[in-house]
Tab-separated table of all heavy atoms in Angstrom:
chain	number	residue	atom	x	y	z
A	125	LEU	N	-164.134	43.574	59.174
A	125	LEU	CA	-163.541	42.243	59.282
A	125	LEU	C	-163.168	41.683	57.921
A	125	LEU	O	-162.040	41.193	57.714
A	125	LEU	CB	-164.523	41.310	59.986
A	125	LEU	CG	-164.157	39.821	60.032
A	125	LEU	CD1	-162.914	39.593	60.877
A	125	LEU	CD2	-165.318	38.997	60.568
A	128	GLN	N	-160.218	43.251	56.390
A	128	GLN	CA	-158.994	42.753	57.012
A	128	GLN	C	-158.657	41.339	56.550
A	128	GLN	O	-157.483	40.944	56.551
A	128	GLN	CB	-159.144	42.785	58.541
A	128	GLN	CG	-159.156	44.197	59.105
A	128	GLN	CD	-159.473	44.277	60.589
A	128	GLN	OE1	-159.788	45.339	61.096
A	128	GLN	NE2	-159.399	43.148	61.289
A	129	LEU	N	-159.672	40.591	56.125
A	129	LEU	CA	-159.434	39.248	55.599
A	129	LEU	C	-158.978	39.271	54.140
A	129	LEU	O	-158.722	38.229	53.548
A	129	LEU	CB	-160.709	38.400	55.730
A	129	LEU	CG	-161.090	37.988	57.164
A	129	LEU	CD1	-162.487	37.380	57.193
A	129	LEU	CD2	-160.069	37.008	57.742
A	313	LEU	N	-160.626	30.264	63.374
A	313	LEU	CA	-159.548	30.842	64.181
A	313	LEU	C	-159.044	32.155	63.584
A	313	LEU	O	-158.750	33.112	64.310
A	313	LEU	CB	-158.397	29.843	64.323
A	313	LEU	CG	-157.362	30.165	65.406
A	313	LEU	CD1	-158.035	30.351	66.763
A	313	LEU	CD2	-156.306	29.067	65.476
A	314	GLU	N	-158.979	32.226	62.261
A	314	GLU	CA	-158.554	33.464	61.607
A	314	GLU	C	-159.576	34.573	61.856
A	314	GLU	O	-159.220	35.742	62.067
A	314	GLU	CB	-158.377	33.236	60.102
A	314	GLU	CG	-158.022	34.484	59.305
A	314	GLU	CD	-156.702	35.114	59.708
A	314	GLU	OE1	-155.878	34.465	60.371
A	314	GLU	OE2	-156.486	36.299	59.351
A	315	VAL	N	-160.856	34.216	61.853
A	315	VAL	CA	-161.913	35.199	62.127
A	315	VAL	C	-161.759	35.752	63.536
A	315	VAL	O	-161.819	36.973	63.751
A	315	VAL	CB	-163.310	34.571	61.946
A	315	VAL	CG1	-164.404	35.531	62.416
A	315	VAL	CG2	-163.536	34.195	60.488
A	316	LEU	N	-161.531	34.888	64.521
A	316	LEU	CA	-161.363	35.338	65.904
A	316	LEU	C	-160.143	36.236	66.044
A	316	LEU	O	-160.161	37.224	66.783
A	316	LEU	CB	-161.252	34.139	66.844
A	316	LEU	CG	-162.547	33.362	67.089
A	316	LEU	CD1	-162.272	32.149	67.965
A	316	LEU	CD2	-163.599	34.244	67.738
A	317	THR	N	-159.074	35.891	65.354
A	317	THR	CA	-157.864	36.717	65.393
A	317	THR	C	-158.164	38.123	64.895
A	317	THR	O	-157.742	39.124	65.497
A	317	THR	CB	-156.753	36.073	64.541
A	317	THR	OG1	-156.471	34.776	65.048
A	317	THR	CG2	-155.486	36.914	64.575
A	318	GLN	N	-158.905	38.217	63.799
A	318	GLN	CA	-159.230	39.530	63.239
A	318	GLN	C	-160.258	40.276	64.096
A	318	GLN	O	-160.205	41.510	64.193
A	318	GLN	CB	-159.757	39.371	61.810
A	318	GLN	CG	-158.752	38.816	60.817
A	318	GLN	CD	-157.506	39.680	60.707
A	318	GLN	OE1	-157.535	40.891	60.899
A	318	GLN	NE2	-156.384	39.035	60.399
A	319	ILE	N	-161.169	39.560	64.728
A	319	ILE	CA	-162.161	40.202	65.598
A	319	ILE	C	-161.479	40.956	66.737
A	319	ILE	O	-161.930	42.030	67.160
A	319	ILE	CB	-163.159	39.155	66.140
A	319	ILE	CG1	-164.234	38.874	65.072
A	319	ILE	CG2	-163.816	39.610	67.438
A	319	ILE	CD1	-165.239	37.819	65.448
A	320	SER	N	-160.360	40.441	67.221
A	320	SER	CA	-159.656	41.098	68.331
A	320	SER	C	-159.099	42.462	67.940
A	320	SER	O	-158.747	43.262	68.814
A	320	SER	CB	-158.511	40.201	68.834
A	320	SER	OG	-157.490	40.101	67.857
A	321	THR	N	-159.040	42.749	66.647
A	321	THR	CA	-158.494	44.047	66.191
A	321	THR	C	-159.586	45.032	65.766
A	321	THR	O	-159.283	46.166	65.408
A	321	THR	CB	-157.539	43.836	64.995
A	321	THR	OG1	-158.292	43.393	63.857
A	321	THR	CG2	-156.472	42.812	65.311
A	322	LEU	N	-160.840	44.610	65.796
A	322	LEU	CA	-161.922	45.492	65.352
A	322	LEU	C	-162.103	46.669	66.305
A	322	LEU	O	-161.922	46.540	67.513
A	322	LEU	CB	-163.233	44.714	65.242
A	322	LEU	CG	-163.282	43.582	64.216
A	322	LEU	CD1	-164.628	42.869	64.277
A	322	LEU	CD2	-163.018	44.104	62.806
Side-chain angles (χ1 to χ4, degrees):
L125 172 66
Q128 290 173 195
L129 289 170
L313 194 55
E314 176 62 17
V315 172
L316 288 176
T317 301
Q318 296 301 331
I319 279 177
S320 68
T321 68
L322 297 177

